[in-house]
Amino acid sequence: MTVRPGDGDPAPDDHEPETAATREARGSVHEAIGKLIGDDTAREHGTAERRAGAAQSTAARKPPRSRP
């Protein structure tokens, strides 16, 4: 059976925006893998990605500042 675009599978260009939780999780995984294999660069990249996800979720929860 051949899968064609429109048969229920999203096309490669139909990516949903990345959520903060996804970004935090991916960062945690990169960080853990970096620790496991002893790769400081991968660990640091994971830490940065995890922190960016946390900042993104915090920014999404903050109400906009009102102007006087």
Side-chain angles (χ1 to χ4, degrees), residues 2-67:
T2 304
V3 177
R4 286 175 250 130
D7 286 346
D9 289 337
D13 295 337
D14 293 342
H15 294 292
E16 294 199 19
E18 185 174 63
T19 65
T22 302
R23 201 167 179 188
E24 281 187 81
R26 186 177 58 216
S28 293
V29 170
H30 270 130
E31 191 175 10
I33 290 172
K35 285 180 183 178
L36 183 67
I37 64 175
D39 186 351
D40 290 336
T41 304
R43 183 183 51 77
E44 290 169 5
H45 176 75
T47 302
E49 189 71 22
R50 183 178 49 80
R51 287 181 180 163
Q56 181 179 352
S57 74
T58 301
R61 285 185 273 157
K62 271 189 175 178
R65 292 174 52 169
S66 61
R67 292 187 161 177

